[in-house]
Amino acid sequence: MIRPTQFFPFFKGQFISRLFVGAIALAGLTVPSLAQEKITNPIAVFSGLDKITGRITTFDVYINETVQFGALQLTPRVCYTRPDTEAPKTDTFVEVDEITLDRKIRKIFSGWMFADSPGLNAVEHPVYDVWLKACKQKSDIPAPDKS
């Protein structure tokens, strides 16, 4: 075990121990408070590229709603943003399935997408690309029925 007095020989015994315990406690209190700053949003905003037509479409998807973009079905599970006082970080956990030509559903992506790094975890398909643009609280699209 490394002792604090090895790095700071001028400090003795209890003072340095209390200093390290205080620093660790302070660090422990600030880390969870940052994690609690994320904002949960009910809507994820995606953009999709149809590589055949070259058309880019932007569309809103409610959390836990499945929408179809070409042969892909997207289902976002959560969509987080940060307050305006922090650096923008927008991310979503999404599941993407492909409907094959023989009408089978095949999962092609399940994971996190990040709006500030669209190429990091974007869905890349031979015909379609899909990436996260934003998360938001309201949409012009009506919410899906809860029945």
Side-chain angles (χ1 to χ4, degrees), residues 123-134:
V123 174
E124 294 182 22
H125 180 269
V127 179
Y128 306 102
D129 284 350
V130 177
W131 61 95
L132 176 67
K133 294 276 292 179

Side-chain angles (χ1 to χ4, degrees), residues 14-33:
Q14 290 183 341
F15 175 76
I16 193 71
S17 296
R18 287 183 184 159
L19 182 67
F20 269 58
V21 168
I24 291 169
L26 181 62
L29 290 175
T30 57
V31 172
S33 65

Side-chain angles (χ1 to χ4, degrees), residues 32-50:
S33 65
L34 289 177
Q36 294 173 357
E37 292 292 325
K38 63 185 172 188
I39 299 168
T40 302
N41 297 280
I43 302 158
V45 182
F46 293 96
S47 282
L49 168 66
D50 181 332

Side-chain angles (χ1 to χ4, degrees), residues 95-129:
E95 297 170 350
V96 181
D97 299 322
E98 176 187 29
I99 302 173
T100 63
L101 293 175
D102 54 353
R103 298 183 188 245
K104 294 183 180 175
I105 296 177
R106 180 174 59 113
K107 186 169 296 295
I108 62 169
F109 181 84
S110 180
W112 291 95
M113 286 186 181
F114 306 96
D116 56 340
S117 300
L120 183 62
N121 280 356
V123 174
E124 294 182 22
H125 180 269
V127 179
Y128 306 102
D129 284 350

Side-chain angles (χ1 to χ4, degrees), residues 35-44 63-64 76-83 89-93 112 134-138:
Q36 294 173 357
E37 292 292 325
K38 63 185 172 188
I39 299 168
T40 302
N41 297 280
I43 302 158
I63 300 304
N64 294 319
R77 299 298 179 188
V78 294
C79 201
Y80 297 127
T81 54
R82 303 292 185 266
K89 289 185 181 178
T90 303
D91 50 9
T92 187
F93 187 86
W112 291 95
C135 298
K136 61 185 185 178
Q137 292 289 323
K138 295 181 181 178

